[in-house]
Amino acid sequence: MNTSLELPVPISYIAGNYFVFSVDAVTFLRREHHICGVLAGTLPQAPQQNVFTGLPLELMPEEARLLVEKGVACIVDEVNFQKQGMQSLVEEDRKKYLKELETQGLETMQLQVRRKEKLKEEAMKKTAEKKAAKAKKTEQKQPATEASAEDSAVVSLFDNSQSSSPSQVSSSRSSTIPAAEAMRITPAVSYPPLPQQPPAEHLLSLPQVPSSYPLFAHLHSNGYFLTPGLRFGCQYTAYPGDPLRFHSHFLVVSTGWDEELDLMTIITGGRLGTGVKKGFLIGGADKNAEDSGDAGANVRAFSIEWAGM
């Protein structure tokens, strides 16, 4: 656990969705609380890429509510928090923050320039080695006088004493980058300048969740990692461990306690699950049982597999 991470973790509520912007919070929630979410962000320099997405992490309402009920997270009205926070920000603090972003941009730009110059230097070195090897072969075929003249020409061409080395050019270039050319930094979090823990007036109540939430909470309490199951035609996909290490075991579909199930639904679900090497799991909460206050309590689940005739 990251000891520097302050609890509860702020979950940003934006346009009806729930997001986590801190990489430390994302790591903590996945490792300690089995919350995977879905990465939904793209890079500012490549906004059209959609193969490898990054921060922020989008959570299902079920995941957000579970974390709030456990006291691990809180829901923040991010739009109002940002507006009021920026309006109340002192001008001196605003200028200091912008200066810090500019400094970070310059440092990043300098690092990028040094990296490019190093690659250029390595390429020039390889070219020089190839030319020297070629000149050596030519020297063996030509008379000694011609070879010495060509040798001196090659030496003069790559003599460091006559011109600045790429490393010198790199250092001078990186140290004189104007502020206008600094890379624009897009912060992933709003602190600083805003506080890491929003004030109470910007916190929202428990998220609204679908009727499948009791089954979600029940499976989560039993150690399963749950992800959206749309690509398998179900509500959730249940993993026995982190999805980066395990294949899913169940296709999960929630049902009401008194809901009638069509036999064909059970058969097709069982065949689908078996076809993709998973079990088809259905379950729901007993509405007649005594309410214990735990959303995952009084839930019964059944796994169906297609065995053939």
Side-chain angles (χ1 to χ4, degrees):
M1 175 179 174
N2 188 347
T3 54
S4 63
L5 185 66
E6 294 186 23
L7 297 180
V9 173
I11 299 176
S12 301
Y13 179 74
I14 305 172
N17 299 308
Y18 301 90
F19 298 98
V20 177
F21 287 87
S22 169
V23 65
D24 292 332
V26 170
T27 305
F28 167 73
L29 295 178
R30 189 181 187 104
R31 183 178 62 243
E32 302 294 336
H33 297 281
H34 302 178
I35 297 298
C36 298
V38 178
L39 291 171
T42 57
L43 298 174
Q45 292 82 4
Q48 299 300 320
Q49 64 89 14
N50 56 6
V51 178
F52 298 104
T53 48
L55 293 176
L57 183 79
E58 184 176 357
L59 302 180
M60 293 185 289
E62 298 93 313
E63 293 174 317
R65 177 157 184 158
L66 185 70
L67 292 173
V68 174
E69 289 182 345
K70 294 174 68 174
V72 176
C74 59
I75 308 298
V76 181
D77 185 357
E78 193 66 34
V79 176
N80 290 329
F81 174 53
Q82 292 279 346
K83 284 183 178 180
Q84 296 183 18
M86 287 300 178
Q87 289 174 358
S88 61
L89 194 64
V90 180
E91 186 63 24
E92 183 179 349
D93 293 336
R94 186 195 302 271
K95 291 181 179 179
K96 181 181 177 182
Y97 178 62
L98 293 176
K99 185 65 177 177
E100 290 177 355
L101 291 182
E102 181 180 313
T103 302
Q104 294 178 21
L106 285 172
E107 293 175 352
T108 305
M109 199 68 184
Q110 290 170 357
L111 180 63
Q112 191 176 62
V113 169
R114 288 195 294 267
R115 186 179 300 154
K116 288 181 178 179
E117 291 296 337
K118 184 178 179 181
L119 293 175
K120 183 179 179 180
E121 185 178 353
E122 292 175 353
M124 292 177 64
K125 184 178 179 181
K126 289 181 180 179
T127 302
E129 290 175 352
K130 289 181 180 179
K131 288 185 177 181
K134 185 177 180 180
K136 189 174 182 180
K137 288 182 180 180
T138 307
E139 178 186 334
Q140 296 174 353
K141 298 178 181 179
Q142 293 178 345
T145 55
E146 295 181 6
S148 60
E150 185 179 348
D151 197 26
S152 62
V154 173
V155 171
S156 64
L157 180 61
F158 297 103
D159 188 5
N160 291 333
S161 63
Q162 298 180 9
S163 61
S164 301
S165 66
S167 59
Q168 292 174 340
V169 175
S170 172
S171 60
S172 61
R173 163 63 178 159
S174 61
S175 60
T176 58
I177 295 177
E181 296 184 15
M183 183 175 290
R184 297 295 181 260
I185 301 297
T186 304
V189 293
S190 58
Y191 52 87
L194 302 182
Q196 184 171 358
Q197 292 299 333
E201 60 266 23
H202 293 295
L203 301 183
L204 301 177
S205 57
L206 290 174
Q208 296 295 322
V209 291
S211 59
S212 58
Y213 179 66
L215 180 59
F216 176 92
H218 171 73
L219 293 174
H220 185 274
S221 65
N222 283 277
Y224 285 97
F225 286 69
L226 297 161
T227 63
L230 180 61
R231 63 176 177 172
F232 290 111
C234 57
Q235 288 175 290
Y236 311 111
T237 310
Y239 294 79
D242 195 301
L244 294 176
R245 299 177 57 196
F246 296 90
H247 288 291
S248 57
H249 279 191
F250 298 108
L251 307 179
V252 181
V253 174
S254 174
T255 60
W257 188 255
D258 297 327
E259 181 181 348
E260 294 185 1
L261 290 176
D262 186 86
L263 184 59
M264 289 302 297
T265 301
I266 299 177
I267 293 174
T268 54
R271 293 188 67 176
L272 173 62
T274 304
V276 293
K277 299 181 180 179
K278 309 177 194 327
F280 179 63
L281 188 145
I282 59 175
D286 183 359
K287 68 176 185 179
N288 299 320
E290 183 179 352
D291 187 7
S292 62
D294 186 359
N298 306 316
V299 172
R300 297 191 65 186
F302 302 89
S303 175
I304 301 168
E305 295 183 13
W306 185 260
M309 299 298 292

